[in-house]
PDB file of all heavy atoms in Angstrom:
ATOM      1  N   ASP A 169      70.648  79.208  90.378  1.00 98.00           N
ATOM      2  CA  ASP A 169      71.162  78.674  89.114  1.00 98.00           C
ATOM      3  C   ASP A 169      71.273  77.146  89.225  1.00 98.00           C
ATOM      4  O   ASP A 169      71.969  76.625  90.106  1.00 98.00           O
ATOM      5  CB  ASP A 169      72.535  79.298  88.821  1.00 98.00           C
ATOM      6  CG  ASP A 169      73.030  79.000  87.421  1.00 98.00           C
ATOM      7  OD1 ASP A 169      72.676  77.943  86.861  1.00 98.00           O
ATOM      8  OD2 ASP A 169      73.815  79.822  86.893  1.00 98.00           O
ATOM      9  N   GLN A 170      70.610  76.448  88.325  1.00 98.00           N
ATOM     10  CA  GLN A 170      70.632  74.986  88.354  1.00 98.00           C
ATOM     11  C   GLN A 170      72.016  74.415  88.035  1.00 98.00           C
ATOM     12  O   GLN A 170      72.254  73.214  88.245  1.00 98.00           O
ATOM     13  CB  GLN A 170      69.586  74.427  87.397  1.00 98.00           C
ATOM     14  CG  GLN A 170      68.151  74.626  87.871  1.00 98.00           C
ATOM     15  CD  GLN A 170      67.878  73.915  89.189  1.00 98.00           C
ATOM     16  OE1 GLN A 170      68.272  72.766  89.403  1.00 98.00           O
ATOM     17  NE2 GLN A 170      67.200  74.608  90.097  1.00 98.00           N
ATOM     18  N   THR A 171      72.927  75.272  87.574  1.00 98.00           N
ATOM     19  CA  THR A 171      74.302  74.807  87.371  1.00 98.00           C
ATOM     20  C   THR A 171      74.913  74.347  88.691  1.00 98.00           C
ATOM     21  O   THR A 171      75.808  73.493  88.703  1.00 98.00           O
ATOM     22  CB  THR A 171      75.159  75.927  86.751  1.00 98.00           C
ATOM     23  OG1 THR A 171      74.542  76.393  85.557  1.00 98.00           O
ATOM     24  CG2 THR A 171      76.554  75.432  86.421  1.00 98.00           C
ATOM     25  N   LEU A 172      74.437  74.898  89.789  1.00 98.00           N
ATOM     26  CA  LEU A 172      74.896  74.435  91.102  1.00 98.00           C
ATOM     27  C   LEU A 172      74.694  72.934  91.250  1.00 98.00           C
ATOM     28  O   LEU A 172      75.598  72.201  91.679  1.00 98.00           O
ATOM     29  CB  LEU A 172      74.121  75.161  92.210  1.00 98.00           C
ATOM     30  CG  LEU A 172      74.472  76.611  92.505  1.00 98.00           C
ATOM     31  CD1 LEU A 172      73.363  77.276  93.309  1.00 98.00           C
ATOM     32  CD2 LEU A 172      75.784  76.664  93.270  1.00 98.00           C
ATOM     33  N   VAL A 173      73.525  72.471  90.899  1.00 98.00           N
ATOM     34  CA  VAL A 173      73.212  71.050  91.031  1.00 98.00           C
ATOM     35  C   VAL A 173      74.026  70.231  90.033  1.00 98.00           C
ATOM     36  O   VAL A 173      74.522  69.135  90.353  1.00 98.00           O
ATOM     37  CB  VAL A 173      71.707  70.813  90.851  1.00 98.00           C
ATOM     38  CG1 VAL A 173      71.384  69.315  90.885  1.00 98.00           C
ATOM     39  CG2 VAL A 173      70.921  71.561  91.924  1.00 98.00           C
ATOM     40  N   LYS A 174      74.186  70.745  88.828  1.00 98.00           N
ATOM     41  CA  LYS A 174      74.984  70.026  87.828  1.00 98.00           C
ATOM     42  C   LYS A 174      76.431  69.860  88.296  1.00 98.00           C
ATOM     43  O   LYS A 174      77.037  68.790  88.126  1.00 98.00           O
ATOM     44  CB  LYS A 174      74.938  70.772  86.492  1.00 98.00           C
ATOM     45  CG  LYS A 174      73.550  70.806  85.859  1.00 98.00           C
ATOM     46  CD  LYS A 174      73.557  71.635  84.576  1.00 98.00           C
ATOM     47  CE  LYS A 174      72.159  71.720  83.963  1.00 98.00           C
ATOM     48  NZ  LYS A 174      72.138  72.575  82.749  1.00 98.00           N
ATOM     49  N   ILE A 175      76.985  70.913  88.869  1.00 98.00           N
ATOM     50  CA  ILE A 175      78.355  70.825  89.400  1.00 98.00           C
ATOM     51  C   ILE A 175      78.412  69.798  90.519  1.00 98.00           C
ATOM     52  O   ILE A 175      79.319  68.952  90.572  1.00 98.00           O
ATOM     53  CB  ILE A 175      78.824  72.206  89.891  1.00 98.00           C
ATOM     54  CG1 ILE A 175      79.098  73.128  88.709  1.00 98.00           C
ATOM     55  CG2 ILE A 175      80.062  72.085  90.783  1.00 98.00           C
ATOM     56  CD1 ILE A 175      79.398  74.566  89.098  1.00 98.00           C
ATOM     57  N   ALA A 176      77.427  69.855  91.415  1.00 98.00           N
ATOM     58  CA  ALA A 176      77.403  68.907  92.532  1.00 98.00           C
ATOM     59  C   ALA A 176      77.287  67.469  92.020  1.00 98.00           C
ATOM     60  O   ALA A 176      77.916  66.548  92.572  1.00 98.00           O
ATOM     61  CB  ALA A 176      76.246  69.244  93.463  1.00 98.00           C
ATOM     62  N   ASN A 177      76.493  67.251  90.965  1.00 98.00           N
ATOM     63  CA  ASN A 177      76.366  65.907  90.401  1.00 98.00           C
ATOM     64  C   ASN A 177      77.695  65.400  89.850  1.00 98.00           C
ATOM     65  O   ASN A 177      78.067  64.240  90.062  1.00 98.00           O
ATOM     66  CB  ASN A 177      75.318  65.911  89.282  1.00 98.00           C
ATOM     67  CG  ASN A 177      73.901  66.096  89.803  1.00 98.00           C
ATOM     68  OD1 ASN A 177      73.627  65.848  90.967  1.00 98.00           O
ATOM     69  ND2 ASN A 177      73.002  66.535  88.927  1.00 98.00           N
ATOM     70  N   VAL A 178      78.409  66.263  89.136  1.00 98.00           N
ATOM     71  CA  VAL A 178      79.715  65.871  88.577  1.00 98.00           C
ATOM     72  C   VAL A 178      80.681  65.487  89.692  1.00 98.00           C
ATOM     73  O   VAL A 178      81.387  64.480  89.617  1.00 98.00           O
ATOM     74  CB  VAL A 178      80.292  67.011  87.713  1.00 98.00           C
ATOM     75  CG1 VAL A 178      81.750  66.729  87.354  1.00 98.00           C
ATOM     76  CG2 VAL A 178      79.457  67.192  86.451  1.00 98.00           C
ATOM     77  N   LEU A 179      80.716  66.312  90.738  1.00 98.00           N
ATOM     78  CA  LEU A 179      81.625  66.036  91.850  1.00 98.00           C
ATOM     79  C   LEU A 179      81.265  64.719  92.531  1.00 98.00           C
ATOM     80  O   LEU A 179      82.141  63.897  92.833  1.00 98.00           O
ATOM     81  CB  LEU A 179      81.585  67.185  92.864  1.00 98.00           C
ATOM     82  CG  LEU A 179      82.077  68.548  92.366  1.00 98.00           C
ATOM     83  CD1 LEU A 179      81.841  69.611  93.432  1.00 98.00           C
ATOM     84  CD2 LEU A 179      83.547  68.499  91.985  1.00 98.00           C
ATOM     85  N   ALA A 180      79.970  64.491  92.756  1.00 98.00           N
ATOM     86  CA  ALA A 180      79.546  63.260  93.418  1.00 98.00           C
ATOM     87  C   ALA A 180      79.897  62.035  92.590  1.00 98.00           C
ATOM     88  O   ALA A 180      80.403  61.032  93.121  1.00 98.00           O
ATOM     89  CB  ALA A 180      78.040  63.317  93.686  1.00 98.00           C
ATOM     90  N   GLN A 181      79.648  62.127  91.297  1.00 98.00           N
ATOM     91  CA  GLN A 181      79.962  60.993  90.423  1.00 98.00           C
ATOM     92  C   GLN A 181      81.465  60.744  90.347  1.00 98.00           C
ATOM     93  O   GLN A 181      81.898  59.608  90.147  1.00 98.00           O
ATOM     94  CB  GLN A 181      79.391  61.255  89.035  1.00 98.00           C
ATOM     95  CG  GLN A 181      77.866  61.235  89.004  1.00 98.00           C
ATOM     96  CD  GLN A 181      77.284  61.914  87.779  1.00 98.00           C
ATOM     97  OE1 GLN A 181      78.012  62.280  86.850  1.00 98.00           O
ATOM     98  NE2 GLN A 181      75.956  62.112  87.770  1.00 98.00           N
ATOM     99  N   GLY A 182      82.250  61.808  90.521  1.00 98.00           N
ATOM    100  CA  GLY A 182      83.700  61.659  90.460  1.00 98.00           C
ATOM    101  C   GLY A 182      84.353  61.364  91.789  1.00 98.00           C
ATOM    102  O   GLY A 182      85.580  61.237  91.873  1.00 98.00           O
ATOM    103  N   GLY A 183      83.545  61.259  92.848  1.00 98.00           N
ATOM    104  CA  GLY A 183      84.100  60.951  94.159  1.00 98.00           C
ATOM    105  C   GLY A 183      84.827  62.112  94.810  1.00 98.00           C
ATOM    106  O   GLY A 183      85.701  61.899  95.661  1.00 98.00           O
ATOM    107  N   VAL A 184      84.450  63.330  94.444  1.00 98.00           N
ATOM    108  CA  VAL A 184      85.068  64.524  95.027  1.00 98.00           C
ATOM    109  C   VAL A 184      84.094  65.134  96.033  1.00 98.00           C
ATOM    110  O   VAL A 184      82.903  65.312  95.736  1.00 98.00           O
ATOM    111  CB  VAL A 184      85.408  65.561  93.932  1.00 98.00           C
ATOM    112  CG1 VAL A 184      86.037  66.810  94.549  1.00 98.00           C
ATOM    113  CG2 VAL A 184      86.346  64.946  92.896  1.00 98.00           C
ATOM    114  N   GLU A 185      84.587  65.449  97.208  1.00 98.00           N
ATOM    115  CA  GLU A 185      83.725  65.960  98.271  1.00 98.00           C
ATOM    116  C   GLU A 185      83.224  67.368  97.976  1.00 98.00           C
ATOM    117  O   GLU A 185      84.026  68.283  97.714  1.00 98.00           O
ATOM    118  CB  GLU A 185      84.483  65.970  99.599  1.00 98.00           C
ATOM    119  CG  GLU A 185      83.663  66.543 100.757  1.00 98.00           C
ATOM    120  CD  GLU A 185      84.480  66.743 102.018  1.00 98.00           C
ATOM    121  OE1 GLU A 185      85.657  66.313 102.052  1.00 98.00           O
ATOM    122  OE2 GLU A 185      83.954  67.352 102.976  1.00 98.00           O
ATOM    123  N   LEU A 186      81.914  67.566  98.058  1.00 98.00           N
ATOM    124  CA  LEU A 186      81.333  68.901  98.016  1.00 98.00           C
ATOM    125  C   LEU A 186      81.171  69.372  99.453  1.00 98.00           C
ATOM    126  O   LEU A 186      80.338  68.850 100.196  1.00 98.00           O
ATOM    127  CB  LEU A 186      79.980  68.901  97.305  1.00 98.00           C
ATOM    128  CG  LEU A 186      79.206  70.224  97.354  1.00 98.00           C
ATOM    129  CD1 LEU A 186      79.981  71.341  96.679  1.00 98.00           C
ATOM    130  CD2 LEU A 186      77.824  70.072  96.737  1.00 98.00           C
ATOM    131  N   ALA A 187      81.964  70.367  99.844  1.00 98.00           N
ATOM    132  CA  ALA A 187      81.918  70.852 101.225  1.00 98.00           C
ATOM    133  C   ALA A 187      80.771  71.814 101.450  1.00 98.00           C
ATOM    134  O   ALA A 187      80.233  71.906 102.552  1.00 98.00           O
ATOM    135  CB  ALA A 187      83.245  71.514 101.588  1.00 98.00           C
ATOM    136  N   GLY A 188      80.409  72.591 100.406  1.00 98.00           N
ATOM    137  CA  GLY A 188      79.329  73.552 100.588  1.00 98.00           C
ATOM    138  C   GLY A 188      79.462  74.731  99.651  1.00 98.00           C
ATOM    139  O   GLY A 188      79.931  74.593  98.521  1.00 98.00           O
ATOM    140  N   VAL A 189      79.047  75.896 100.152  1.00 98.00           N
ATOM    141  CA  VAL A 189      79.011  77.100  99.327  1.00 98.00           C
ATOM    142  C   VAL A 189      79.730  78.239 100.033  1.00 98.00           C
ATOM    143  O   VAL A 189      79.849  78.260 101.268  1.00 98.00           O
ATOM    144  CB  VAL A 189      77.557  77.517  98.998  1.00 98.00           C
ATOM    145  CG1 VAL A 189      76.863  76.453  98.177  1.00 98.00           C
ATOM    146  CG2 VAL A 189      76.773  77.815 100.272  1.00 98.00           C
ATOM    147  N   LEU A 190      80.174  79.187  99.226  1.00 98.00           N
ATOM    148  CA  LEU A 190      80.918  80.341  99.739  1.00 98.00           C
ATOM    149  C   LEU A 190      80.538  81.567  98.938  1.00 98.00           C
ATOM    150  O   LEU A 190      80.404  81.504  97.712  1.00 98.00           O
ATOM    151  CB  LEU A 190      82.425  80.080  99.638  1.00 98.00           C
ATOM    152  CG  LEU A 190      83.401  81.178 100.049  1.00 98.00           C
ATOM    153  CD1 LEU A 190      84.719  80.553 100.551  1.00 98.00           C
ATOM    154  CD2 LEU A 190      83.714  82.151  98.918  1.00 98.00           C
ATOM    155  N   THR A 191      80.359  82.703  99.623  1.00 98.00           N
ATOM    156  CA  THR A 191      80.102  83.961  98.924  1.00 98.00           C
ATOM    157  C   THR A 191      80.815  85.101  99.615  1.00 98.00           C
ATOM    158  O   THR A 191      81.232  84.992 100.780  1.00 98.00           O
ATOM    159  CB  THR A 191      78.588  84.242  98.826  1.00 98.00           C
ATOM    160  OG1 THR A 191      78.359  85.286  97.875  1.00 98.00           O
ATOM    161  CG2 THR A 191      77.995  84.639 100.176  1.00 98.00           C
ATOM    162  N   HIS A 192      80.954  86.196  98.886  1.00 97.00           N
ATOM    163  CA  HIS A 192      81.669  87.381  99.393  1.00 97.00           C
ATOM    164  C   HIS A 192      80.953  88.622  98.897  1.00 97.00           C
ATOM    165  O   HIS A 192      80.797  88.816  97.690  1.00 97.00           O
ATOM    166  CB  HIS A 192      83.109  87.383  98.877  1.00 97.00           C
ATOM    167  CG  HIS A 192      83.885  88.612  99.225  1.00 97.00           C
ATOM    168  ND1 HIS A 192      84.094  89.639  98.328  1.00 97.00           N
ATOM    169  CD2 HIS A 192      84.500  88.984 100.368  1.00 97.00           C
ATOM    170  CE1 HIS A 192      84.816  90.595  98.910  1.00 97.00           C
ATOM    171  NE2 HIS A 192      85.066  90.218 100.145  1.00 97.00           N
ATOM    172  N   ALA A 193      80.512  89.466  99.836  1.00 96.00           N
ATOM    173  CA  ALA A 193      79.748  90.666  99.478  1.00 96.00           C
ATOM    174  C   ALA A 193      80.702  91.804  99.119  1.00 96.00           C
ATOM    175  O   ALA A 193      80.850  92.784  99.864  1.00 96.00           O
ATOM    176  CB  ALA A 193      78.832  91.064 100.628  1.00 96.00           C
ATOM    177  N   GLY A 194      81.317  91.704  97.959  1.00 93.00           N
ATOM    178  CA  GLY A 194      82.291  92.703  97.543  1.00 93.00           C
ATOM    179  C   GLY A 194      81.709  94.085  97.331  1.00 93.00           C
ATOM    180  O   GLY A 194      82.414  95.098  97.483  1.00 93.00           O
ATOM    181  N   GLU A 195      80.422  94.148  96.990  1.00 94.00           N
ATOM    182  CA  GLU A 195      79.805  95.456  96.787  1.00 94.00           C
ATOM    183  C   GLU A 195      79.689  96.248  98.088  1.00 94.00           C
ATOM    184  O   GLU A 195      79.441  97.455  98.060  1.00 94.00           O
ATOM    185  CB  GLU A 195      78.415  95.291  96.165  1.00 94.00           C
ATOM    186  CG  GLU A 195      78.437  94.981  94.683  1.00 94.00           C
ATOM    187  CD  GLU A 195      79.052  96.102  93.863  1.00 94.00           C
ATOM    188  OE1 GLU A 195      78.462  97.199  93.810  1.00 94.00           O
ATOM    189  OE2 GLU A 195      80.136  95.881  93.282  1.00 94.00           O
ATOM    190  N   SER A 196      79.902  95.596  99.217  1.00 95.00           N
ATOM    191  CA  SER A 196      79.870  96.307 100.497  1.00 95.00           C
ATOM    192  C   SER A 196      80.955  97.369 100.568  1.00 95.00           C
ATOM    193  O   SER A 196      80.846  98.329 101.337  1.00 95.00           O
ATOM    194  CB  SER A 196      80.022  95.323 101.659  1.00 95.00           C
ATOM    195  OG  SER A 196      81.299  94.698 101.643  1.00 95.00           O
ATOM    196  N   TYR A 197      81.978  97.226  99.747  1.00 93.00           N
ATOM    197  CA  TYR A 197      83.063  98.215  99.741  1.00 93.00           C
ATOM    198  C   TYR A 197      82.623  99.542  99.122  1.00 93.00           C
ATOM    199  O   TYR A 197      83.339 100.534  99.216  1.00 93.00           O
ATOM    200  CB  TYR A 197      84.269  97.659  98.990  1.00 93.00           C
ATOM    201  CG  TYR A 197      85.125  96.746  99.828  1.00 93.00           C
ATOM    202  CD1 TYR A 197      84.622  95.563 100.356  1.00 93.00           C
ATOM    203  CD2 TYR A 197      86.456  97.063 100.102  1.00 93.00           C
ATOM    204  CE1 TYR A 197      85.402  94.728 101.132  1.00 93.00           C
ATOM    205  CE2 TYR A 197      87.244  96.233 100.868  1.00 93.00           C
ATOM    206  CZ  TYR A 197      86.716  95.067 101.386  1.00 93.00           C
ATOM    207  OH  TYR A 197      87.483  94.240 102.165  1.00 93.00           O
TER     208      TYR A 197
END
Side-chain angles (χ1 to χ4, degrees):
D169 190 331
Q170 289 298 316
T171 305
L172 285 163
V173 176
K174 295 177 182 177
I175 288 173
N177 290 339
V178 169
L179 296 174
Q181 292 162 8
V184 179
E185 178 189 353
L186 173 61
V189 297
L190 177 151
T191 194
H192 174 259
E195 283 297 294
S196 65
Y197 278 62

